[in-house]
Amino acid sequence: MENKVTKLLKIQYPIIQGGMVWCCGWRLASAVSNNGGLGLIGAGSMTPDLLREHIRKCKAATQLPFGVNVPLIYHEIEGIMKVIIEEEVKVVFSSAGNPKTWTKLLKENGITVVHVVSSSKFAQKAEEAGVDAVVAEGFEAGGHNGREETTTLTLIPQVRKAIGLPLIAAGGIASGAGILAAMSLGADGVQIGTRFALSEESSAHEDFKQLCTSLKEGDTLLSLKKLSPTRLIKNDFFNSVQEAEDRGANAEELQTLLGRGRSRLGIFEGDLKNGELEIGQIASLIQTVEPVEAIMKALIAEYNQCLGNLKRL
């Protein structure tokens, strides 16, 4: 399955594991890379020293390419970037910020840069900033979303029309059929978050994983729109946010309610009532927690099967 994305990232399959906070340490990243995709270490919850430890453990666990995902608004961004350069990481996926800020420095150090966007306008800005590829993430995705609330099905063909860079689709993709659909719309590859967040190698709490595999359609909704739109599972914390938003709470009040470490509390520590439980809409399609090897094999097998079915049609 060789194309622009596999050539750019030097991987076997155009499948990238999303760099999800509290889910993506070296175990998950190395497992995805060892099975032909590109694993990402999620730096958004790490100190620079902890990131360095995860990078070194990932290098010991795989000889294949892996990368680091970095939210550009992270308060320890300078230390994170210093570690990435010093440890000679080959690929960085950036998000949540202006790609112009760091892309030039990263590329001067031989690093491939991919930026995550939620609209055609931001995709064009990323291209102008000199990134090597773009991830276009639709409204279905878990965690922080774009304010445009554009679905993946709508977003991908519009971004494909707007830019000439390799394009990676994200949001609501957890199957081989989903991969084929995204590529049919013009994507050169996919980034998959939720399915890998619910893998055996994910560092998310087991109680969080089990809850996610029991979700039904409609059990996640976009919330915290006055801060940063975030897709959450409905729980006591979610209900508190909804009540505050319904009575017209401002951003400052919502930030106080959110506090610090709320996503760690839910995803990493397993507090399913009071934690901020971020997961994608596609979780309702996933009923079991499996090892990455089984997930990758299933994705490729289903992709090939669906492709064959379309050819017969």
Side-chain angles (χ1 to χ4, degrees):
M1 200 188 292
E2 185 175 272
N3 66 9
K4 293 178 183 177
V5 166
T6 61
K7 290 178 181 177
L8 175 67
L9 302 175
K10 299 177 175 60
I11 55 179
Q12 184 177 1
Y13 304 115
I15 298 173
I16 294 91
Q17 160 243 313
M20 303 157 287
V21 172
W22 304 119
C23 298
C24 304
W26 68 269
R27 287 185 180 85
L28 179 55
S30 61
V32 173
S33 291
N34 281 333
N35 283 280
L38 183 79
L40 295 178
I41 297 170
S45 60
M46 297 183 181
T47 63
D49 286 343
L50 182 58
L51 175 60
R52 193 186 301 276
E53 177 184 337
H54 276 262
I55 291 171
R56 291 181 177 180
K57 286 183 176 179
C58 200
K59 286 180 178 179
T62 183
Q63 302 302 308
L64 295 167
F66 69 91
V68 174
N69 175 267
V70 185
L72 297 178
I73 58 172
Y74 189 42
H75 66 281
E76 295 200 61
I77 185 68
E78 292 186 4
I80 291 293
M81 290 302 191
K82 183 173 183 288
V83 167
I84 285 171
I85 292 169
E86 288 177 350
E87 294 296 323
E88 299 181 344
V89 172
K90 301 301 182 186
V91 180
V92 164
F93 277 55
S94 59
S95 61
N98 185 353
K100 284 186 177 179
T101 310
W102 291 98
T103 296
K104 185 174 183 292
L105 176 64
L106 292 171
K107 294 191 70 171
E108 285 173 351
N109 283 274
I111 298 171
T112 298
V113 180
V114 183
H115 191 65
V116 181
V117 302
S118 58
S119 71
S120 298
K121 179 179 76 172
F122 289 127
Q124 289 173 320
K125 288 182 178 297
E127 186 171 39
E128 291 167 5
V131 304
D132 297 290
V134 163
V135 176
E137 184 174 78
F139 165 78
E140 302 93 327
H144 298 282
N145 274 275
R147 296 188 180 278
E148 299 82 1
E149 298 189 15
T150 307
T151 64
T152 304
L153 193 69
T154 304
L155 180 62
I156 297 308
Q158 294 186 92
V159 175
R160 177 69 292 160
K161 185 177 180 180
I163 64 170
L165 295 175
L167 173 59
I168 299 164
I173 302 168
S175 65
I179 296 171
L180 181 58
M183 296 180 80
S184 297
L185 292 170
D188 301 297
V190 297
Q191 179 172 281
I192 294 176
T194 293
R195 190 155 189 188
F196 288 125
L198 305 181
S199 68
E200 289 183 2
E201 291 87 348
S202 164
S203 52
H205 197 281
E206 289 304 313
D207 289 348
F208 172 76
K209 295 179 189 178
Q210 292 304 318
L211 173 64
C212 290
T213 57
S214 70
L215 295 176
K216 302 296 187 293
E217 293 177 30
D219 283 346
T220 69
L221 283 175
L222 215 60
S223 189
L224 295 166
K225 293 184 181 181
K226 289 182 180 177
L227 295 178
S228 175
T230 308
R231 182 167 297 284
L232 301 176
I233 298 171
K234 297 174 184 176
N235 66 348
D236 288 356
F237 168 68
F238 173 88
N239 292 334
S240 297
V241 172
Q242 290 301 103
E243 290 171 9
E245 291 183 330
D246 289 345
R247 62 176 165 77
N250 59 30
E252 185 178 352
E253 290 177 87
L254 291 171
Q255 186 61 60
T256 300
L257 177 61
L258 179 62
R260 292 180 63 85
R262 183 75 71 165
S263 62
R264 176 189 175 100
L265 181 66
I267 299 170
F268 192 70
E269 297 179 3
D271 186 336
L272 304 183
K273 290 185 177 182
N274 302 304
E276 182 183 8
L277 307 179
E278 305 175 11
I279 203 71
Q281 280 185 326
I282 202 66
S284 59
L285 191 69
I286 304 166
Q287 279 83 47
T288 57
V289 175
E290 298 179 299
V292 165
E293 182 179 8
I295 292 171
M296 286 292 292
K297 286 181 178 178
L299 290 173
I300 300 307
E302 186 180 7
Y303 172 89
N304 288 326
Q305 181 181 8
C306 291
L307 183 60
N309 291 342
L310 284 179
K311 287 179 178 178
R312 284 191 289 275
L313 288 174

